[in-house]
């Protein structure tokens, strides 16, 4: 990726002057000073309180760590000469990291020379904003194409009848949320306008429920079949629910039959073990004619627990549009070294107008592949919820090695999941991006 992937301006203020970073330290061994400077665009109690009590955590080479204050310096001594990776973790999502010299962001590469110390400086800008996670749950038949959710009469997003969206960079305050575009055969349970309080550095959540009646008349028969493959299959089967109201137990490889209203009937599979995956989703719709029969097959694949990590979402606040400090990711990687990974940096726009992207996907490019998989990561709040994997990827015309750290530290929309991406290019040194997942989710199975 080009340099713009690495150098990200603070979401709140411009990075501090390069003059503020530590200078090289003359030492008897290879030592590294890590300097942190934090500023607040809107200094108030809510912004300051979002900083962890112990400050942040500085890591070197994913093996040595020290707590460092919001404005502090720590020194790592006894390091070998050569290239090292430095990263700053435990960063709340209302803060953005930049580096004073417009170089690699977080993590970043540092080269140490024997007998001469080095330094890495991180500037953070924090603001009084957070996120809002909105969900919808709709029961009944003929649900339509979904709704529109609007915040404060301005920002709007489409949302599925069973779906979720995230609004980023909302000021820490009370916000009005409205659900519109409800079909005439559907009724929202409760008001379609709600108030919600958003706190700095946190993700608030709000939900809307609705029910829909059939547009036509009559009934039909709906048969659902499950087919499960893989290892460590779910021992007690699943639950299949039709129209959000009627449920039956169903075996891992079995069937269930329902009498349903004619029309488009939603089908959901639940009770799936955490190491199993229901055909990419657990929700679908089957159209049943009056007096007729509809069928659907739900495919499930199971893995050894902990041997798969997947995720899709975004790092950074704001829209995924060119020039914005935003990166989107999409990956599905397994311990048997199959799978794919892709990251797109919207802050890295090429001269031809294209957006920088690095990927590893053997089905797309045989020169790229996953080469190593580790089932935990000390960079995560709970190491057992983390995964690390190494890959050989495509960065434009170049083939590059990269490492990914993925932390499934929170539920979807919680803002606690973490992703780190780091590549090494001989011509540019170590470069990468990392941060809390501001929308989307990472799942370790």
């Amino acid at each position: 990726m080009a340099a713009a992937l690495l150098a990200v301006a603070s979401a709140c203020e411009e990075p501090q002057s390069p003059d503020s970073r530590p200078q090289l330290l003359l030492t008897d061994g290879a030592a590294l000073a890590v300097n942190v400077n934090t500023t607040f665009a809107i200094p108030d109690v809510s912004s300051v309180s979002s900083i962890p009590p112990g400050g942040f955590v500085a890591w070197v080479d994913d093996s040595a760590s020290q707590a460092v204050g919001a404005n502090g310096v720590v020194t790592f001594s006894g390091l070998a000469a050569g290239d090292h990776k430095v990263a700053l973790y435990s960063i709340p999502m209302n803060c953005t990291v930049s580096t004073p010299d417009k170089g690699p962001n977080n993590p970043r590469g540092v080269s140490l020379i024997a007998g001469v110390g080095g330094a890495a400086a991180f500037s953070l800008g924090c603001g009084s904003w957070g996120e809002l996670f909105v969900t919808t749950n709709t029961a009944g038949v003929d649900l339509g194409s979904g709704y529109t959710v609007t915040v404060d009469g301005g920002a709007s997003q489409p949302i599925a009848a069973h779906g979720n969206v995230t609004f980023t960079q909302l000021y820490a305050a009370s916000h009005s949320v409205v659900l519109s575009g409800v079909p005439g055969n559907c009724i929202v349970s409760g008001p379609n306008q709600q108030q919600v309080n958003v706190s700095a550095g946190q993700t608030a959540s709000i939900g809307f429920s609705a029910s829909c009646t059939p547009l036509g008349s009559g009934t039909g028969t709906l048969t659902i079949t499950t087919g499960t493959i893989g290892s460590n299959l779910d021992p007690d089967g699943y639950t299949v629910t039709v129209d959000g109201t009627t449920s039956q137990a169903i075996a891992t490889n079995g069937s269930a039959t329902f009498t349903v209203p004619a029309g488009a009937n939603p089908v959901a599979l639940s009770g799936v073990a955490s190491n199993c995956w229901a055909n990419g989703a657990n929700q679908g719709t089957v159209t049943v004619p009056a007096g007729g029969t509809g069928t659907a097959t739900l495919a499930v694949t199971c893995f050894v627990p902990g041997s798969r990590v997947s995720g899709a979402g975004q790092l950074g606040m704001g829209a995924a549009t060119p020039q914005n400090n935003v990166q989107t990711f999409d990956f599905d990687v397994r311990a048997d070294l199959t799978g794919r990974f892709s990251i797109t940096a919207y802050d890295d726009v090429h001269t031809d107008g294209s957006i920088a992207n690095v990927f590893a996907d053997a089905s797309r490019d045989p020169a790229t592949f996953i080469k190593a998989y580790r089932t935990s990561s000390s960079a995560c709040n709970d190491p057992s919820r983390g995964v690390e994997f190494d890959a050989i990827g495509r960065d434009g015309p170049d083939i590059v090695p990269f490492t990914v750290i993925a932390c499934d530290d929170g539920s979807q929309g919680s803002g606690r999941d973490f992703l780190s991406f780091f590549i090494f290019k001989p011509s540019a040194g170590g470069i990468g991006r990392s941060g809390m997942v501001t929308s989307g989710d990472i799942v370790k199975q």
Side-chain angles (χ1 to χ4, degrees):
M1 293 216 176
L5 171 61
L6 322 173
V8 180
S10 165
C12 305
E13 295 183 352
E14 285 299 312
Q16 295 186 2
S17 165
D19 294 337
S20 66
R21 57 181 170 166
Q23 303 300 311
L24 290 179
L25 308 172
L26 296 177
T27 66
D28 294 331
L32 173 66
V34 179
N35 179 37
V36 176
N37 294 286
T38 305
T39 58
F40 298 92
I42 307 176
D44 63 14
V45 174
S46 60
S47 284
V48 176
S49 64
S50 69
I51 303 297
F56 310 110
V57 179
W59 282 83
V60 176
D61 299 329
D62 296 326
S63 59
S65 66
Q66 293 188 55
V68 57
N71 290 283
V73 180
V74 293
T75 300
F76 294 84
S77 58
L79 299 177
D83 294 329
H84 296 271
K85 181 176 74 171
V86 186
L88 197 65
Y89 296 129
S90 298
I91 301 169
M93 71 177 190
N94 68 310
C95 299
T96 299
V97 180
S98 62
T99 49
D101 56 0
K102 300 286 188 179
N105 190 268
N106 184 26
R108 64 179 306 184
V110 175
S111 184
L112 299 181
I113 301 174
V116 179
F122 293 92
S123 290
L124 292 92
C126 303
S128 293
W129 54 72
E131 292 187 338
L132 174 62
F133 185 66
V134 182
T135 61
T136 53
N137 182 43
T138 308
V141 184
D142 296 324
L143 308 188
S145 59
Y147 318 112
T148 298
V149 61
T150 303
V151 175
D152 296 333
S156 297
Q157 295 189 54
I159 188 170
H162 292 277
N164 62 79
V165 295
T166 300
F167 290 85
T168 62
Q169 210 162 351
L170 295 177
Y171 281 110
S174 177
H175 297 272
S176 173
V177 185
V178 175
L179 189 72
S180 60
V182 180
N185 65 311
C186 302
I187 298 176
V188 177
S189 303
N192 69 337
Q193 178 173 342
Q194 300 184 42
Q195 292 293 128
V196 62
N197 290 319
V198 174
S199 300
Q202 303 296 319
T203 299
S205 62
I206 194 171
F208 293 93
S209 296
S211 60
C212 302
T213 58
L215 293 172
S217 60
T219 62
T221 300
L222 174 58
T223 298
I224 307 298
T225 301
T226 54
T228 305
I229 61 174
S231 57
N232 293 82
L233 304 191
D234 195 322
D236 56 1
Y238 321 115
T239 298
V240 61
T241 301
V242 175
D243 302 337
T245 56
T246 306
S247 300
Q248 291 187 44
I250 189 169
T252 52
N253 290 284
S255 64
T257 299
F258 300 80
T259 298
V260 298
N265 292 263
V267 177
L269 195 67
S270 59
V272 180
S274 61
N275 66 302
C276 299
W277 183 57
N279 199 29
N282 66 349
Q283 184 77 43
T285 300
V286 182
T287 299
V288 177
T293 300
T295 62
T297 299
L298 301 178
V300 180
T301 303
C302 298
F303 305 87
V304 175
S307 66
R308 179 184 184 185
V309 64
S310 60
Q314 174 176 308
L315 305 180
M317 302 291 237
T321 55
Q323 308 297 344
N324 274 3
N325 176 17
V326 166
Q327 294 76 42
T328 59
F329 60 87
D330 187 359
F331 64 91
D332 188 346
V333 176
R334 302 172 184 83
D336 63 2
L337 306 185
T338 60
R340 57 179 172 75
F341 176 87
S342 177
I343 187 168
T344 302
Y346 287 85
D347 54 343
D348 186 356
V349 181
H350 296 164
T351 55
D352 63 1
S354 63
I355 307 299
N357 171 264
V358 174
F359 71 89
D361 184 350
S363 65
R364 177 180 169 187
D365 184 340
T368 68
F369 57 92
I370 309 299
K371 61 179 291 189
Y373 184 99
R374 296 175 289 280
T375 57
S376 66
S377 176
S378 58
C380 304
N381 291 334
D382 179 353
S384 69
R385 299 302 304 158
V387 164
E388 299 179 2
F389 56 89
D390 305 324
I392 302 298
R394 171 77 64 184
D395 177 12
D398 299 326
I399 294 295
V400 295
F402 66 82
T403 296
V404 173
I405 300 172
C407 300
D408 181 13
D409 279 330
S411 58
Q412 183 171 355
S414 68
R416 300 206 310 269
D417 286 352
F418 176 84
L419 184 75
S420 173
F421 167 80
F422 187 82
I423 70 177
F424 181 78
K425 298 178 69 173
S427 61
I431 59 178
R433 284 290 285 133
S434 66
M436 295 298 182
V437 175
T438 53
S439 66
D441 196 24
I442 291 175
V443 179
K444 180 181 180 181
Q445 297 172 300

